[in-house]
Amino acid sequence: MKNSNLYDQVIRVNCPATVANLVCGFDILGMALNAPQDTIEMRLLDRREIIIRHSDHYDLPTEPARNVAGAALIDLLEEVEEPVGFELTIRKHIKPGSGLGSSAASSAGAVVGANHLLGNRFNNNDLVRFAMAGEKVATGVKHADNIAPCIMGGVTLIRSIFPLDIVQLTAPPMYVTVVHPQIEVKTADARQILRKEVLLKNAIKQWGNIAGLVAGFLQKDYDLIGRSLEDVIIEPVRSILIPGFDEVKQGSRNHGALGGGISGSGPSIFMMSKDEAVAQKVEALMKETYTQLGIDFKTYITTLNEKGATVEVVA
Ligand code: HSE
């Protein structure tokens, strides 16, 4: 029998990996994946304190203000009158710095869990707002393209951050193949190298692709999705940091993938496919490419996660 007293409850939050940008939508598009996922075990404290532990080997900070989950919870507690706090144990399977929304999984997962423990008093926009404090700690900038899909699931469009305006998009079923070459690309560095100005002709191409991608998702038009997965602004600069990028991207298309590119700020690369058989061919190509380059890697074949972060009561 589950205990209904929120102070006695121990919950587990499953926090999905996310792919930010979706190639052409820098800082405005993102999707949640079914693998990998972090977990956070959490309970409510009857005093204003945040206690963070990690049960993984990444040696991340536990001081709340320096921890992405802690920073998000500090923002959330500012809007809670009762003298409560949280104790959480984070287990990461999404490697920090992978480009798969590792920091978002912790900050979004923490606020989803906190909201459950507080009787679900906040809406999704509130949760995204709190969790963005974690992204600020991780990257120096508030952006929601990992946070929003991690909380809401599926594909999300961040039309605006200030004020927050998030649109959830429907999308057809798709397989996503991911390769995470084990090299480090810090998001802050991958943002620093971007040019601050954009040529109008490139902006026009990018607007066409973003609109095409959104329309492709809504109309379940795989060909339109594939044609729109093109980035003429960010990818040409960032892909230089990722050995094997061009081979994986071109080879995947040759195998029938719809398309793909850098996941978030990299170094992971994701490719979308309509069929599982194509997703498997893409994975084989990714493995071959990084084996030949002599770079360690991890691959995943997964699908779109429709639910976002979920809460289970474990005690
Ligand atoms: N939109 C962000 C970027 C995602 O590409 O820098 C990084 O987490």
Side-chain angles (χ1 to χ4, degrees):
M1 179 79 179
K2 308 268 186 245
N3 197 321
S4 60
N5 183 339
L6 291 176
Y7 281 102
D8 294 336
Q9 260 190 15
V10 179
I11 59 165
R12 185 183 301 123
V13 190
N14 302 304
C15 324
T18 45
V19 173
N21 303 335
L22 290 183
V23 183
C24 53
F26 180 69
D27 276 1
I28 64 166
L29 288 172
M31 72 174 167
L33 301 179
N34 278 316
Q37 296 205 359
D38 288 351
T39 57
I40 304 180
E41 279 206 3
M42 224 171 149
R43 72 184 183 96
L44 194 63
L45 299 176
D46 58 1
R47 57 188 185 280
R48 205 30 79 110
E49 190 181 3
I50 298 170
I51 303 170
I52 299 173
R53 294 192 190 89
H54 291 282
S55 64
D56 52 50
H57 58 278
Y58 294 118
D59 203 24
L60 294 167
T62 52
E63 184 195 324
R66 292 182 53 232
N67 179 285
V68 296
L73 292 174
I74 290 171
D75 264 31
L76 177 142
L77 283 176
E78 275 172 19
E79 297 186 23
V80 175
E81 280 176 15
E82 306 95 298
V84 294
F86 305 100
E87 183 176 1
L88 48 156
T89 304
I90 302 173
R91 190 178 193 74
K92 300 205 70 64
H93 299 282
I94 311 167
K95 194 172 176 187
S98 56
L100 292 169
S102 181
S103 56
S106 294
S107 52
V111 297
V112 167
N115 196 34
H116 172 93
L117 292 171
L118 293 169
N120 291 315
R121 64 181 71 179
F122 296 111
N123 64 31
N124 280 342
N125 271 17
D126 294 328
L127 298 182
V128 170
R129 196 161 44 81
F130 302 140
M132 279 199 297
E135 290 296 49
K136 181 97 200 279
V137 168
T139 68
V141 189
K142 285 191 170 181
H143 56 90
D145 50 343
N146 292 106
I147 297 280
C150 188
I151 290 175
M152 297 161 68
V155 179
T156 55
L157 163 68
I158 318 298
R159 197 204 58 82
S160 156
I161 286 193
F162 303 113
L164 208 48
D165 187 358
I166 302 169
V167 183
Q168 188 143 33
L169 305 175
T170 54
M174 267 174 306
Y175 289 88
V176 184
T177 316
V178 177
V179 61
H180 174 200
Q182 307 285 298
I183 53 171
E184 195 183 2
V185 175
K186 289 206 169 86
T187 298
D189 297 340
R191 294 182 80 88
Q192 196 68 37
I193 58 169
L194 299 176
R195 296 191 197 99
K196 300 289 173 280
E197 278 159 14
V198 171
L199 285 177
L200 183 60
K201 68 170 187 170
N202 287 341
I204 293 167
K205 206 154 189 25
Q206 201 87 349
W207 292 327
N209 282 327
I210 295 167
L213 188 57
V214 170
F217 283 139
L218 298 180
Q219 294 176 0
K220 307 193 187 323
D221 182 336
Y222 289 102
D223 289 340
L224 180 56
I225 292 171
R227 292 200 299 284
S228 307
L229 286 168
E230 179 194 33
D231 174 5
V232 295
I233 296 176
I234 309 292
E235 183 183 290
V237 182
R238 283 187 170 171
S239 59
I240 293 161
L241 304 174
I242 308 172
F245 178 81
D246 293 335
E247 293 91 310
V248 167
K249 189 175 167 187
Q250 196 47 53
S252 300
R253 283 209 188 245
N254 294 346
H255 281 311
L258 299 169
I262 304 171
S263 177
S265 56
S268 291
I269 305 170
F270 79 103
M271 286 289 152
M272 307 214 285
S273 311
K274 201 172 150 188
D275 308 311
E276 191 172 11
V278 172
Q280 284 166 350
K281 281 190 205 158
V282 169
E283 185 188 39
L285 167 88
M286 289 168 165
K287 286 181 171 171
E288 194 187 312
T289 305
Y290 285 99
T291 303
Q292 276 181 9
L293 286 169
I295 296 172
D296 284 345
F297 60 88
K298 228 178 155 104
T299 56
Y300 305 89
I301 296 182
T302 185
T303 47
L304 203 60
N305 173 316
E306 302 288 351
K307 292 190 187 145
T310 53
V311 175
E312 302 167 60
V313 180
V314 292

